[in-house]
Amino acid sequence: METLISQLKKDFYSQLSASQSKTLPHSAPTLSLLTAEELLELETAWVQLNVWKKNQLPTAP
């Protein structure tokens, strides 16, 4: 489970980087407006959501 969470955290930051690069140069990056605590809260919520989604998938008998 720890490996999954580590991978999800990496995926979270990859998603952020990808979304920020898509908006540039048309708009200013908004990620820098977040505090470290806010960013950590978003990361935690994103990881929890993805773990929940993974647990909702039916398992093969």
Side-chain angles (χ1 to χ4, degrees):
M1 184 65 136
E2 199 63 34
T3 304
L4 172 64
I5 291 174
S6 293
Q7 184 59 49
L8 287 171
K9 287 180 180 183
K10 289 177 187 174
D11 293 347
F12 171 74
Y13 287 102
S14 293
Q15 292 279 340
L16 282 180
S17 295
S19 68
Q20 288 289 298
S21 66
K22 288 179 185 176
T23 61
L24 297 175
H26 304 296
S27 65
T30 57
L31 189 57
S32 61
L33 298 176
L34 298 175
T35 66
E37 183 178 304
E38 290 169 329
L39 188 57
L40 183 59
E41 286 182 38
L42 282 174
E43 173 194 295
T44 301
W46 194 86
V47 168
Q48 289 175 347
L49 174 63
N50 281 280
V51 168
W52 177 81
K53 282 181 181 179
K54 182 173 175 52
N55 289 332
Q56 296 304 307
L57 295 175
T59 56

